[in-house]
Coordinates of all heavy atoms in Angstrom, one line a residue:
C1458 N 26.2 -94.0 -87.4 CA 25.0 -93.0 -87.2 C 25.3 -92.2 -86.0 O 25.8 -92.7 -85.0 CB 23.7 -93.8 -87.1 SG 22.3 -92.8 -87.1
T1459 N 25.1 -90.9 -86.1 CA 25.3 -90.1 -84.9 C 24.1 -89.7 -84.2 O 24.2 -89.3 -83.0 CB 26.0 -88.8 -85.4 OG1 25.2 -88.2 -86.4 CG2 27.4 -89.1 -86.0
S1460 N 22.9 -89.9 -84.7 CA 21.7 -89.6 -84.0 C 21.1 -90.8 -83.2 O 21.0 -91.9 -83.7 CB 20.6 -89.2 -85.1 OG 19.3 -89.1 -84.5
V1461 N 20.8 -90.5 -82.0 CA 20.2 -91.5 -81.1 C 18.9 -92.0 -81.7 O 18.6 -93.2 -81.7 CB 20.0 -91.0 -79.7 CG1 19.2 -92.0 -78.8 CG2 21.3 -90.6 -79.0
N1462 N 18.1 -91.1 -82.3 CA 16.9 -91.5 -82.9 C 17.1 -92.4 -84.1 O 16.3 -93.4 -84.2 CB 16.1 -90.2 -83.4 CG 15.5 -89.5 -82.3 OD1 15.2 -90.0 -81.2 ND2 15.2 -88.2 -82.5
F1463 N 18.1 -92.2 -84.9 CA 18.4 -93.0 -86.0 C 18.9 -94.4 -85.6 O 18.5 -95.4 -86.1 CB 19.3 -92.4 -87.0 CG 18.6 -91.4 -87.9 CD1 19.1 -90.1 -88.0 CD2 17.5 -91.7 -88.6 CE1 18.5 -89.1 -88.8 CE2 16.8 -90.8 -89.4 CZ 17.4 -89.5 -89.5
I1464 N 19.7 -94.4 -84.5 CA 20.2 -95.7 -84.0 C 19.0 -96.5 -83.4 O 18.9 -97.7 -83.7 CB 21.2 -95.5 -82.8 CG1 22.5 -94.9 -83.4 CG2 21.5 -96.8 -82.1 CD1 23.5 -94.5 -82.4
F1465 N 18.1 -95.8 -82.7 CA 16.9 -96.4 -82.2 C 16.0 -97.0 -83.4 O 15.5 -98.1 -83.3 CB 16.1 -95.5 -81.3 CG 14.8 -96.1 -80.8 CD1 14.9 -97.0 -79.7 CD2 13.6 -95.8 -81.3 CE1 13.7 -97.6 -79.2 CE2 12.4 -96.3 -80.8 CZ 12.5 -97.2 -79.7
A1466 N 15.9 -96.2 -84.4 CA 15.1 -96.6 -85.6 C 15.7 -97.9 -86.2 O 15.0 -98.8 -86.6 CB 15.0 -95.5 -86.6
K1467 N 17.0 -97.9 -86.4 CA 17.7 -99.1 -87.0 C 17.5 -100.3 -86.1 O 17.3 -101.4 -86.6 CB 19.2 -98.8 -87.2 CG 19.5 -97.8 -88.3 CD 21.0 -97.7 -88.5 CE 21.3 -96.8 -89.7 NZ 22.8 -96.7 -89.9
L1468 N 17.6 -100.1 -84.8 CA 17.4 -101.2 -83.9 C 16.0 -101.7 -84.0 O 15.8 -103.0 -84.0 CB 17.7 -100.8 -82.4 CG 17.5 -101.8 -81.3 CD1 18.4 -103.0 -81.6 CD2 17.8 -101.2 -80.0
Q1469 N 15.0 -100.8 -84.0 CA 13.6 -101.2 -84.2 C 13.4 -102.0 -85.5 O 12.7 -103.0 -85.5 CB 12.7 -100.0 -84.2 CG 12.6 -99.3 -82.8 CD 11.8 -100.1 -81.8 OE1 10.6 -100.3 -82.0 NE2 12.5 -100.6 -80.8
M1470 N 14.1 -101.6 -86.6 CA 13.9 -102.3 -87.8 C 14.6 -103.7 -87.8 O 14.1 -104.6 -88.4 CB 14.5 -101.5 -89.0 CG 13.7 -100.2 -89.3 SD 12.0 -100.5 -89.6 CE 12.0 -101.4 -91.1
E1471 N 15.7 -103.8 -87.1 CA 16.3 -105.1 -86.9 C 15.4 -106.1 -86.1 O 15.2 -107.2 -86.4 CB 17.7 -105.0 -86.1 CG 18.8 -104.5 -87.0 CD 19.3 -105.6 -87.9 OE1 19.3 -106.8 -87.5 OE2 19.7 -105.3 -89.0
L1472 N 14.8 -105.5 -85.0 CA 13.8 -106.3 -84.3 C 12.6 -106.7 -85.1 O 12.1 -107.8 -85.0 CB 13.4 -105.6 -83.0 CG 14.6 -105.5 -82.0 CD1 14.2 -104.5 -80.8 CD2 15.0 -106.8 -81.4
A1473 N 12.2 -105.8 -85.9 CA 11.0 -106.1 -86.8 C 11.4 -107.2 -87.8 O 10.6 -108.1 -88.0 CB 10.6 -104.8 -87.6
A1474 N 12.6 -107.2 -88.3 CA 13.0 -108.2 -89.2 C 13.1 -109.6 -88.5 O 12.7 -110.6 -89.1 CB 14.4 -107.9 -89.8
A1475 N 13.6 -109.6 -87.3 CA 13.6 -110.8 -86.5 C 12.2 -111.3 -86.2 O 12.0 -112.6 -86.3 CB 14.3 -110.6 -85.2
A1476 N 11.3 -110.5 -85.9 CA 9.9 -110.9 -85.7 C 9.3 -111.5 -87.0 O 8.6 -112.5 -87.0 CB 9.0 -109.7 -85.2
K1477 N 9.6 -110.8 -88.1 CA 9.1 -111.3 -89.4 C 9.7 -112.7 -89.7 O 8.9 -113.6 -90.1 CB 9.5 -110.4 -90.5 CG 9.1 -110.8 -91.9 CD 9.7 -109.8 -92.9 CE 9.5 -110.3 -94.3 NZ 10.1 -109.5 -95.3
D1478 N 11.0 -112.9 -89.4 CA 11.6 -114.2 -89.7 C 10.9 -115.3 -88.8 O 10.7 -116.4 -89.2 CB 13.1 -114.2 -89.4 CG 13.8 -113.4 -90.4 OD1 13.3 -113.1 -91.5 OD2 15.0 -113.0 -90.1
S1479 N 10.6 -115.0 -87.5 CA 10.0 -115.9 -86.6 C 8.6 -116.2 -87.1 O 8.2 -117.4 -87.1 CB 9.9 -115.4 -85.2 OG 11.2 -115.2 -84.7
A1480 N 7.9 -115.2 -87.6 CA 6.5 -115.5 -88.1 C 6.6 -116.4 -89.3 O 5.7 -117.3 -89.5 CB 5.8 -114.1 -88.5
L1481 N 7.6 -116.2 -90.2 CA 7.7 -117.0 -91.4 C 7.9 -118.5 -91.0 O 7.4 -119.4 -91.7 CB 8.8 -116.5 -92.3 CG 8.5 -115.1 -93.0 CD1 9.7 -114.6 -93.8 CD2 7.3 -115.3 -94.0
G1482 N 8.7 -118.7 -90.0 CA 8.9 -120.1 -89.5 C 7.7 -120.7 -89.1 O 7.4 -121.9 -89.4
Y1483 N 6.8 -120.0 -88.4 CA 5.5 -120.6 -87.9 C 4.6 -120.8 -89.1 O 3.8 -121.7 -89.2 CB 4.9 -119.7 -86.9 CG 5.5 -119.9 -85.5 CD1 6.2 -118.8 -84.9 CD2 5.4 -121.1 -84.8 CE1 6.8 -119.0 -83.7 CE2 5.9 -121.2 -83.6 CZ 6.6 -120.2 -83.0 OH 7.2 -120.4 -81.7
I1484 N 4.7 -119.9 -90.1 CA 3.8 -120.0 -91.3 C 4.2 -121.3 -92.0 O 3.3 -122.0 -92.5 CB 3.9 -118.8 -92.2 CG1 3.2 -117.6 -91.5 CG2 3.4 -119.0 -93.6 CD1 3.5 -116.2 -92.2
E1485 N 5.5 -121.6 -92.1 CA 5.9 -122.9 -92.7 C 5.4 -124.1 -92.0 O 4.9 -125.0 -92.6 CB 7.4 -122.9 -92.8 CG 8.1 -122.0 -93.8 CD 9.6 -121.9 -93.7 OE1 10.2 -122.7 -93.0 OE2 10.2 -121.0 -94.4
Q1486 N 5.4 -124.0 -90.6 CA 4.8 -125.1 -89.8 C 3.3 -125.2 -90.1 O 2.8 -126.4 -90.2 CB 5.1 -124.8 -88.4 CG 6.5 -125.0 -87.9 CD 6.7 -124.7 -86.4 OE1 5.9 -125.2 -85.6 NE2 7.7 -124.0 -86.1
I1487 N 2.6 -124.1 -90.2 CA 1.2 -124.1 -90.5 C 0.9 -124.8 -91.8 O 0.0 -125.6 -92.0 CB 0.6 -122.7 -90.5 CG1 0.6 -122.2 -89.0 CG2 -0.8 -122.7 -91.1 CD1 0.3 -120.7 -88.9
E1488 N 1.7 -124.5 -92.9 CA 1.5 -125.0 -94.2 C 1.7 -126.6 -94.1 O 0.9 -127.3 -94.7 CB 2.5 -124.4 -95.2 CG 2.1 -123.0 -95.5 CD 3.2 -122.3 -96.4 OE1 4.4 -122.8 -96.4 OE2 2.9 -121.2 -96.9
K1489 N 2.7 -127.0 -93.4 CA 2.9 -128.5 -93.3 C 1.8 -129.1 -92.5 O 1.3 -130.2 -92.9 CB 4.3 -128.8 -92.5 CG 5.5 -128.4 -93.4 CD 6.8 -128.7 -92.6 CE 8.0 -128.2 -93.4 NZ 9.2 -128.3 -92.5
A1490 N 1.3 -128.5 -91.5 CA 0.2 -129.1 -90.7 C -1.1 -129.1 -91.6 O -1.9 -130.1 -91.5 CB 0.0 -128.3 -89.4
Q1491 N -1.3 -128.1 -92.4 CA -2.5 -128.1 -93.2 C -2.4 -129.2 -94.3 O -3.4 -129.8 -94.6 CB -2.7 -126.7 -93.9 CG -3.1 -125.6 -92.9 CD -3.2 -124.2 -93.5 OE1 -2.4 -123.9 -94.4 NE2 -4.1 -123.4 -93.0
A1492 N -1.2 -129.4 -94.8 CA -1.0 -130.5 -95.8 C -1.3 -131.8 -95.1 O -2.0 -132.7 -95.7 CB 0.4 -130.5 -96.4
D1493 N -0.9 -132.0 -93.9 CA -1.1 -133.2 -93.1 C -2.6 -133.4 -92.8 O -3.2 -134.5 -92.9 CB -0.3 -133.2 -91.8 CG -0.3 -134.6 -91.1 OD1 -0.3 -135.6 -91.8 OD2 -0.2 -134.6 -89.9
Q1494 N -3.3 -132.3 -92.5 CA -4.7 -132.3 -92.2 C -5.5 -132.7 -93.5 O -6.4 -133.5 -93.4 CB -5.1 -130.9 -91.8 CG -6.5 -130.8 -91.2 CD -6.8 -129.4 -90.6 OE1 -6.5 -128.4 -91.2 NE2 -7.5 -129.4 -89.5
K1495 N -5.1 -132.2 -94.6 CA -5.7 -132.6 -95.9 C -5.5 -134.1 -96.2 O -6.4 -134.8 -96.6 CB -5.2 -131.8 -97.1 CG -5.9 -132.2 -98.4 CD -5.3 -131.5 -99.6 CE -6.0 -131.8 -100.9 NZ -6.5 -133.2 -101.0
K1496 N -4.3 -134.6 -95.9 CA -4.0 -136.0 -96.1 C -4.9 -136.9 -95.2 O -5.5 -137.9 -95.6 CB -2.5 -136.2 -95.7 CG -2.0 -137.6 -95.9 CD -0.5 -137.7 -95.6 CE 0.1 -139.0 -96.0 NZ 1.5 -139.1 -95.7
V1497 N -5.1 -136.4 -93.9 CA -6.0 -137.2 -93.0 C -7.4 -137.1 -93.5 O -8.1 -138.1 -93.5 CB -5.9 -136.6 -91.6 CG1 -6.9 -137.2 -90.7 CG2 -4.5 -136.9 -91.0
A1498 N -7.9 -136.0 -94.0 CA -9.2 -135.9 -94.6 C -9.4 -136.9 -95.7 O -10.5 -137.5 -95.8 CB -9.5 -134.4 -95.0
D1499 N -8.4 -137.0 -96.6 CA -8.5 -137.9 -97.7 C -8.5 -139.3 -97.2 O -9.3 -140.2 -97.7 CB -7.3 -137.7 -98.6 CG -7.3 -136.4 -99.4 OD1 -8.4 -135.7 -99.4 OD2 -6.3 -136.0 -99.9
M1500 N -7.8 -139.6 -96.2 CA -7.8 -141.0 -95.6 C -9.1 -141.3 -94.9 O -9.6 -142.4 -95.1 CB -6.6 -141.1 -94.6 CG -5.3 -141.3 -95.2 SD -4.0 -141.7 -94.0 CE -3.6 -140.1 -93.4
L1501 N -9.7 -140.3 -94.3 CA -11.0 -140.5 -93.6 C -12.1 -140.8 -94.7 O -12.9 -141.7 -94.5 CB -11.4 -139.2 -92.9 CG -10.9 -139.2 -91.4 CD1 -11.1 -137.8 -90.9 CD2 -11.6 -140.2 -90.6
Q1502 N -12.0 -140.1 -95.8 CA -13.0 -140.4 -96.9 C -12.8 -141.8 -97.4 O -13.8 -142.5 -97.6 CB -12.7 -139.4 -98.0 CG -13.7 -139.5 -99.1 CD -13.5 -138.5 -100.2 OE1 -12.5 -137.7 -100.2 NE2 -14.4 -138.4 -101.2
K1503 N -11.6 -142.2 -97.6 CA -11.3 -143.6 -98.1 C -11.8 -144.6 -97.0 O -12.4 -145.6 -97.4 CB -9.8 -143.7 -98.4 CG -9.4 -145.1 -98.9 CD -10.0 -145.3 -100.3 CE -9.4 -146.6 -100.9 NZ -10.1 -146.9 -102.1
C1504 N -11.5 -144.4 -95.8 CA -11.9 -145.3 -94.7 C -13.4 -145.4 -94.6 O -14.0 -146.5 -94.5 CB -11.4 -144.9 -93.4 SG -9.6 -145.2 -93.2
R1505 N -14.1 -144.3 -94.8 CA -15.6 -144.3 -94.7 C -16.1 -145.1 -95.9 O -17.1 -145.9 -95.8 CB -16.1 -142.9 -94.7 CG -15.9 -142.2 -93.4 CD -16.5 -140.8 -93.3 NE -16.3 -140.2 -92.1 CZ -15.6 -139.1 -91.9 NH1 -15.1 -138.5 -92.9 NH2 -15.4 -138.6 -90.7
S1506 N -15.5 -144.9 -97.0 CA -16.0 -145.7 -98.2 C -15.7 -147.2 -98.0 O -16.6 -148.0 -98.4 CB -15.2 -145.2 -99.5 OG -15.5 -146.0 -100.6
L1507 N -14.6 -147.5 -97.5 CA -14.3 -149.0 -97.2 C -15.3 -149.5 -96.2 O -15.7 -150.7 -96.2 CB -12.9 -149.1 -96.8 CG -11.9 -148.9 -98.0 CD1 -10.4 -148.8 -97.4 CD2 -11.9 -150.1 -99.0
Q1508 N -15.6 -148.7 -95.2 CA -16.5 -149.1 -94.1 C -17.9 -149.4 -94.8 O -18.6 -150.4 -94.5 CB -16.6 -148.1 -93.0 CG -17.6 -148.5 -91.9 CD -17.8 -147.4 -90.8 OE1 -17.8 -146.2 -91.2 NE2 -17.8 -147.9 -89.6
D1509 N -18.3 -148.5 -95.7 CA -19.6 -148.7 -96.3 C -19.6 -149.9 -97.2 O -20.6 -150.7 -97.2 CB -20.0 -147.5 -97.2 CG -20.3 -146.2 -96.4 OD1 -20.7 -146.4 -95.2 OD2 -20.3 -145.1 -97.0
Q1510 N -18.5 -150.2 -97.9 CA -18.4 -151.4 -98.6 C -18.5 -152.7 -97.7 O -19.2 -153.7 -98.1 CB -17.1 -151.5 -99.4 CG -17.0 -150.5 -100.6 CD -15.6 -150.5 -101.2 OE1 -14.8 -151.4 -101.0 NE2 -15.3 -149.4 -101.9
A1511 N -17.8 -152.6 -96.6 CA -17.9 -153.7 -95.6 C -19.3 -153.9 -95.1 O -19.8 -155.1 -95.0 CB -16.9 -153.5 -94.5
K1512 N -20.0 -152.8 -94.9 CA -21.4 -152.9 -94.4 C -22.3 -153.5 -95.4 O -23.1 -154.4 -95.1 CB -21.8 -151.5 -94.0 CG -23.2 -151.4 -93.5 CD -23.6 -149.9 -93.2 CE -25.1 -149.8 -92.8 NZ -25.4 -148.4 -92.7
D1513 N -22.2 -153.0 -96.6 CA -23.0 -153.5 -97.7 C -22.8 -154.9 -98.1 O -23.8 -155.7 -98.4 CB -22.9 -152.6 -99.0 CG -23.3 -151.2 -98.8 OD1 -24.1 -150.9 -97.8 OD2 -23.0 -150.3 -99.6
S1514 N -21.6 -155.4 -98.0 CA -21.2 -156.7 -98.4 C -21.3 -157.7 -97.3 O -21.4 -158.9 -97.5 CB -19.8 -156.8 -99.1 OG -18.9 -156.6 -98.1
G1515 N -21.2 -157.2 -96.1 CA -21.2 -158.1 -94.9 C -19.8 -158.8 -94.8 O -19.7 -159.7 -93.9
K1516 N -18.9 -158.3 -95.5 CA -17.5 -158.9 -95.5 C -16.5 -157.8 -95.1 O -16.8 -156.6 -95.1 CB -17.1 -159.5 -96.8 CG -18.0 -160.6 -97.3 CD -17.6 -161.2 -98.6 CE -18.5 -162.3 -99.0 NZ -18.1 -162.8 -100.3
C1517 N -15.3 -158.2 -94.8 CA -14.3 -157.3 -94.4 C -13.7 -156.6 -95.7 O -13.7 -157.2 -96.7 CB -13.2 -158.0 -93.7 SG -13.6 -158.6 -92.1
T1518 N -13.2 -155.4 -95.5 CA -12.5 -154.7 -96.6 C -11.1 -154.4 -96.0 O -10.9 -154.3 -94.8 CB -13.2 -153.4 -97.0 OG1 -13.5 -152.6 -95.8 CG2 -14.5 -153.7 -97.7
E1519 N -10.2 -154.3 -97.0 CA -8.8 -154.1 -96.6 C -8.4 -152.7 -96.5 O -8.7 -151.8 -97.3 CB -7.8 -154.8 -97.6 CG -6.4 -154.8 -97.2 CD -5.5 -155.5 -98.2 OE1 -5.9 -155.8 -99.3 OE2 -4.3 -155.8 -97.8
M1520 N -7.7 -152.4 -95.4 CA -7.1 -151.0 -95.2 C -5.9 -150.9 -96.0 O -5.0 -151.7 -96.0 CB -6.8 -150.8 -93.7 CG -6.2 -149.4 -93.4 SD -5.6 -149.2 -91.7 CE -7.2 -148.9 -90.9
P1521 N -5.8 -149.8 -96.9 CA -4.7 -149.7 -97.7 C -3.4 -149.5 -96.9 O -3.4 -148.9 -95.8 CB -5.0 -148.4 -98.5 CG -6.5 -148.3 -98.5 CD -6.9 -148.9 -97.1

Side-chain angles (χ1 to χ4, degrees):
C1458 189
T1459 56
S1460 167
V1461 172
N1462 284 336
F1463 282 126
I1464 291 172
F1465 180 74
K1467 285 183 177 184
L1468 179 60
Q1469 291 287 293
M1470 291 308 294
E1471 282 285 326
L1472 292 171
K1477 177 183 171 186
D1478 290 343
S1479 294
L1481 290 174
Y1483 282 113
I1484 289 170
E1485 289 172 8
Q1486 290 180 43
I1487 290 169
E1488 289 171 345
K1489 288 178 185 174
Q1491 286 174 330
D1493 194 33
Q1494 193 175 41
K1495 182 187 179 327
K1496 186 177 185 178
V1497 171
D1499 293 342
M1500 285 188 274
L1501 274 168
Q1502 183 179 6
K1503 181 69 174 170
C1504 288
R1505 287 182 181 118
S1506 174
L1507 289 166
Q1508 182 183 39
D1509 288 342
Q1510 290 174 19
K1512 179 182 174 185
D1513 294 343
S1514 69
K1516 297 180 180 180
C1517 293
T1518 53
E1519 185 175 15
M1520 179 184 283

